[in-house]
Amino acid sequence: MINITLKDGVAKEYQAPITPIEIAKDLSAGLAKAACAAKVNGELRDLRFPIESDANVSILTFEDAEGKKAFWHTSAHVLAQAVQHLYPEAKLTIGPAVDNGFYYDIDVEKPFVAEDLEKIEAEMKKIVKEGEALERFELSGDEAKELMKDNPYKVELIEEHAGKGEKLSFFRQGDFTDLCAGPHLMNTSPIKAIKLTQCTGAYWRGDANNRMLCRVYGISFPKASMLEEHLKMLEEAKKRDHRKLGKELELFDIFEEGPGFPVFLPKGMALRNTLEGYWRELHRKAGYLEIRTPLILNEELWHRSGHWDHYKDNMYTTVIDGEDYAVKPMNCPGGMLVYKSKPRSYRDLPLRMGELGIVHRHELSGALHGLMRVRCFTQDDAHIFMTEDMIKDEIKGVAALIDEVYSMFGFKYHVELSTMPEDHMGSLEQWEQATSALENALKELGRDYVINEGDGAFYGPKIDFHLEDCLGRTWQCGTIQLDYQMPERFDLEYTGADGEKHRPIMIHRVLFGSIERFIGILTEHFAGAFPMWLAPVQVKVIPVSEKHMDYAKGVYQKLFDAGLRVELDERNEKIGYKIREAQLEKVPYMLIVGDKEEEAGNVSVRSRSDGDKGVSTLEDFLCAIKVEIDSKAQ
């Protein structure tokens, strides 16, 4: 007999071995029906996994993020099975679950079109109706290659995994079998609603030298109503697409001459400068010093930092005076040089240095996406140099700063702790020490967090902050990374109270992440209707007719002199047309001036959100919006 401790802390005794699905059935028929996967001693497991000793077990449903992934992973297998039925000549490659659904990469002679997706979707629904059970089994490397001999992509994966000594597991559902680690649903019947959303190109294994595959994306749910809700959200997301709004509101553009290199237009610069001004004031109050480091530094520096060995495929390089240089993909090595620019004492620590640093990273053209994925962007980096006993307080200070920023914009967020990746620098002892420091700080802050195994930076573990926008989508923006490696590599020192030399410890951190990406997120979150303090144009003055132009110009000048971002509509158009245009431009306030306003020296105020707000003196209007701007009201 073994003891199984459940999510709520209740322990139950079972005959070993027992599987998570058997435990779920014992607890309730409803839970067994909803079960998608399980956590056994903190590790994600298939529902068929045999538990042979005492364990902590959580049954995961579609309500859990990892349960969703198992549900969507099974849906990807259904997609592949449908393609196999309809297009037997197609070669199936990989089909994982992603953050919002699933995809499968398929080698076909002719890329799928909308009509093909409709056929595949219909076939998927037939497969789901049959409710095929998924059966897991394992094979040796030779057996696996024999099973998949007609698919070179699967054979390549089998050879790779077998070469690492990994188990080769397969899942079979009816007439379809796929190489897969799982986890999966027990059968296909819980997939009540399916929608294939798009088809794009993707290189095999992300390598442009390999064959271009057809990537089919989809989404699925256990209830039809959930799919309807999701499709409504997608429609709303289309309206809010920052690429569309960026052009309509004249914020930014990306030209054929520079794919991945965004150009900010005057209104976009007004928004960006306001955001950066807020960043600077926030950091001044938090005790940061601002620096600026070069865009290009020599190759030797990048070897010293470790980026050359771990990141060179993403770096742009050049030659100057016969010497190799690299365009910086990250700001941290420049921060090391600033620290080393003069002797440091323990009295200088903690030393907090912030930088709005432009970086360049080589991204594949297929991965580029508006401001969300670019090749040139500005990171709001900061590097904090400190002693061992300062770590916890500095981490807590950064976490508080991130909370202040996200809360001010109205974002909810969740936290992940990412641990040591396979490709890393430094000893296991240093990584354990650094990870423990981050974990202890989170516990002291009372923050709930999840462990993201193996996703740390190559030089240290990190805390990632995932914010949630108004449509419920999540974006990883803020991060806190603890680093023992770079101070060692750059031989950083400070003189301690004992007069001896010591090695500082370092935090890398960002709040916005990338200024460009954060602007993209804000644009979609607010649907382009930015709050007053951020709006590129805060007020538009609209004369009723040509004869009111002089008075309108006077109003404009007073607003301009008061420091507002204001425009005057001088076009010879009807007043209704001008108001509608200003509304489409999402200007927070319109000031209408005609005969009555000019005679009384007033303005008629119209709000973007509330419509007509009546007549006001210009002074009263200025006082009211100054309060709105200063409070950064949303």
Side-chain angles (χ1 to χ4, degrees):
M1 303 298 289
I2 58 172
N3 288 313
I4 299 296
T5 305
L6 303 169
K7 195 191 294 190
D8 56 7
V10 172
K12 296 197 76 172
E13 201 173 50
Y14 291 100
Q15 181 73 47
I18 191 166
T19 63
I21 193 61
E22 290 169 332
I23 295 170
K25 284 176 182 175
D26 178 62
L27 296 173
S28 83
L31 179 61
K33 188 178 178 183
C36 296
K39 275 275 185 79
V40 180
N41 293 329
E43 291 190 28
L44 185 63
R45 296 293 187 186
D46 191 83
L47 292 166
R48 304 155 190 79
F49 177 73
I51 304 168
E52 298 178 337
S53 57
D54 294 354
N56 294 308
V57 177
S58 298
I59 306 299
L60 304 174
T61 70
F62 193 79
E63 297 301 311
D64 301 290
E66 287 164 312
K68 274 191 181 74
K69 289 284 179 79
F71 190 97
W72 287 335
H73 197 172
T74 305
S75 303
H77 278 221
V78 174
L79 165 59
Q81 186 177 10
V83 169
Q84 181 180 273
H85 288 176
L86 297 171
Y87 307 93
E89 74 289 352
K91 294 283 188 290
L92 301 165
T93 66
I94 57 168
V98 289
D99 287 341
N100 282 295
F102 57 91
Y103 71 78
Y104 215 106
D105 284 348
I106 304 155
D107 185 354
V108 281
E109 284 304 313
K110 198 174 161 190
F112 294 136
V113 294
E115 292 78 10
D116 298 317
L117 296 190
E118 286 175 16
K119 287 179 194 170
I120 297 168
E121 196 177 296
E123 184 64 22
M124 289 176 73
K125 288 172 183 173
K126 285 182 193 173
I127 293 166
V128 166
K129 253 186 186 175
E130 290 165 8
E132 294 280 8
L134 278 86
E135 174 199 352
R136 183 184 183 278
F137 61 94
E138 292 180 3
L139 294 177
S140 68
D142 289 340
E143 289 170 330
K145 281 196 282 186
E146 176 61 27
L147 178 64
M148 293 288 168
K149 63 185 177 184
D150 295 328
N151 188 325
Y153 299 101
K154 299 292 185 185
V155 170
E156 181 181 326
L157 293 171
I158 288 164
E159 288 174 344
E160 182 179 309
H161 291 297
K164 293 177 183 175
E166 296 173 5
K167 287 182 179 177
L168 296 169
S169 61
F170 291 80
F171 280 83
R172 180 188 294 124
Q173 60 196 53
D175 60 0
F176 174 72
T177 302
D178 206 356
L179 172 71
C180 187
H184 282 288
L185 304 180
M186 295 301 294
N187 59 69
T188 61
S189 60
I191 305 168
K192 303 296 184 190
I194 301 167
K195 182 69 180 173
L196 297 183
T197 53
Q198 64 171 321
C199 186
T200 63
Y203 293 111
W204 168 236
R205 313 201 85 169
D207 187 340
N209 295 313
N210 289 336
R211 184 168 168 78
M212 175 71 80
L213 306 173
C214 186
R215 176 170 292 181
V216 180
Y217 283 94
I219 188 79
S220 60
F221 295 94
K223 293 179 184 174
S225 60
M226 295 170 80
L227 175 60
E228 286 173 24
E229 192 178 318
H230 178 77
L231 294 176
K232 281 179 189 172
M233 186 275 286
L234 289 182
E235 280 304 308
E236 182 60 28
K238 278 184 193 174
K239 293 177 196 170
R240 292 169 177 262
D241 191 321
H242 73 285
R243 295 167 297 178
K244 171 178 170 285
L245 290 171
K247 286 193 175 184
E248 290 175 359
L249 302 178
E250 299 178 8
L251 302 176
F252 74 91
D253 209 338
I254 298 174
F255 302 110
E256 287 181 9
E257 292 82 355
F261 297 93
V263 173
F264 277 81
L265 306 173
K267 289 180 182 177
M269 281 306 297
L271 169 62
R272 183 186 180 116
N273 287 338
T274 305
L275 200 59
E276 291 185 359
Y278 165 66
W279 183 92
R280 287 191 165 95
E281 182 57 20
L282 194 71
H283 284 74
R284 185 186 69 79
K285 289 177 180 175
Y288 286 77
L289 303 172
E290 187 174 358
I291 62 171
R292 172 67 56 108
T293 61
L295 279 175
I296 300 176
L297 293 161
N298 70 16
E299 185 185 315
E300 188 278 328
L301 176 84
W302 301 106
H303 281 290
R304 211 184 329 161
S305 70
H307 287 90
W308 196 264
D309 296 325
H310 298 269
Y311 208 76
K312 68 179 177 184
D313 290 343
N314 292 86
M315 295 168 67
Y316 295 109
T317 58
T318 187
V319 176
I320 303 173
D321 296 335
E323 188 178 354
D324 292 325
Y325 281 74
V327 181
K328 67 175 178 180
M330 297 176 187
N331 297 305
C332 30
M336 306 299 106
L337 297 181
V338 173
Y339 183 93
K340 282 179 70 78
S341 63
K342 69 175 189 178
R344 306 286 178 179
S345 156
Y346 71 96
R347 293 188 181 89
D348 300 323
L349 307 181
L351 177 60
R352 308 182 188 107
M353 298 192 298
E355 176 176 13
L356 291 169
I358 296 172
V359 298
H360 290 74
R361 297 180 186 176
H362 177 61
E363 298 282 358
L364 294 172
S365 58
L368 300 176
H369 179 78
L371 296 181
M372 304 303 194
R373 183 64 71 89
V374 292
R375 288 170 170 161
C376 170
F377 57 96
T378 304
Q379 274 196 315
D380 66 317
D381 262 323
H383 299 100
I384 303 172
F385 302 90
M386 63 205 163
T387 61
E388 186 91 34
D389 60 330
M390 295 173 181
I391 292 175
K392 200 183 295 179
D393 284 342
E394 288 305 307
I395 291 168
K396 287 163 70 176
V398 175
L401 207 58
I402 291 173
D403 180 73
E404 181 181 345
V405 171
Y406 291 178
S407 300
M408 198 270 296
F409 285 107
F411 290 123
K412 297 175 187 174
Y413 64 90
H414 70 269
V415 177
E416 287 184 0
L417 175 61
S418 299
T419 59
M420 185 176 75
E422 284 185 29
D423 181 17
H424 66 271
M425 298 190 304
S427 68
L428 182 61
E429 183 185 358
Q430 285 176 320
W431 274 86
E432 286 174 348
Q433 191 176 0
T435 305
S436 177
L438 291 179
E439 200 160 10
N440 289 337
L442 285 172
K443 285 175 181 173
E444 283 201 17
L445 285 165
R447 290 272 174 216
D448 292 330
Y449 63 93
V450 295
I451 302 287
N452 190 5
E453 294 287 355
D455 201 42
F458 67 83
Y459 45 75
K462 59 178 180 165
I463 300 170
D464 287 330
F465 294 77
H466 297 259
L467 61 82
E468 183 181 318
D469 68 14
C470 66
L471 295 181
R473 300 170 300 179
T474 56
W475 309 89
Q476 195 273 303
C477 291
T479 187
I480 305 172
Q481 302 172 353
L482 191 56
D483 187 357
Y484 286 73
Q485 310 306 322
M486 224 165 274
E488 185 76 35
R489 283 180 164 252
F490 280 85
D491 194 26
L492 302 189
E493 294 179 335
Y494 68 90
T495 303
D498 57 3
E500 299 296 320
K501 296 292 183 185
H502 300 271
R503 186 83 67 213
I505 297 156
M506 176 184 169
I507 285 174
H508 307 246
R509 50 108 288 202
V510 294
L511 305 187
F512 298 143
S514 148
I515 297 288
E516 289 76 4
R517 188 163 176 263
F518 199 73
I519 287 172
I521 294 167
L522 287 178
T523 302
E524 297 194 359
H525 180 64
F526 291 117
F530 298 104
M532 180 68 172
W533 72 278
L534 266 182
V537 178
Q538 295 168 315
V539 183
K540 184 162 272 198
V541 181
I542 305 176
V544 172
S545 69
E546 281 290 316
K547 68 177 183 177
H548 307 112
M549 190 61 70
D550 287 342
Y551 180 63
K553 285 179 178 176
V555 171
Y556 165 86
Q557 195 60 48
K558 286 178 183 174
L559 294 170
F560 181 84
D561 292 343
L564 293 177
R565 295 187 289 276
V566 57
E567 283 185 353
L568 172 62
D569 192 335
E570 299 184 80
R571 296 173 300 168
N572 185 21
E573 298 283 358
K574 290 182 179 178
I575 185 67
Y577 177 79
K578 291 183 185 181
I579 291 171
R580 282 194 301 275
E581 286 278 292
Q583 197 75 30
L584 288 171
E585 291 167 12
K586 304 182 188 293
V587 178
Y589 289 101
M590 292 149 264
L591 299 186
I592 318 298
V593 294
D595 288 337
K596 289 181 183 176
E597 290 79 14
E598 187 168 356
E599 284 169 18
N602 292 330
V603 291
S604 284
V605 182
R606 187 174 183 83
S607 160
R608 174 181 65 197
S609 54
D610 303 327
D612 186 7
K613 293 181 74 74
V615 176
S616 168
T617 66
L618 192 56
E619 289 71 24
D620 285 348
F621 173 75
L622 276 169
C623 285
I625 63 168
K626 190 174 186 317
V627 170
E628 188 176 340
I629 291 168
D630 290 347
S631 68
K632 294 183 171 57
Q634 300 307 308

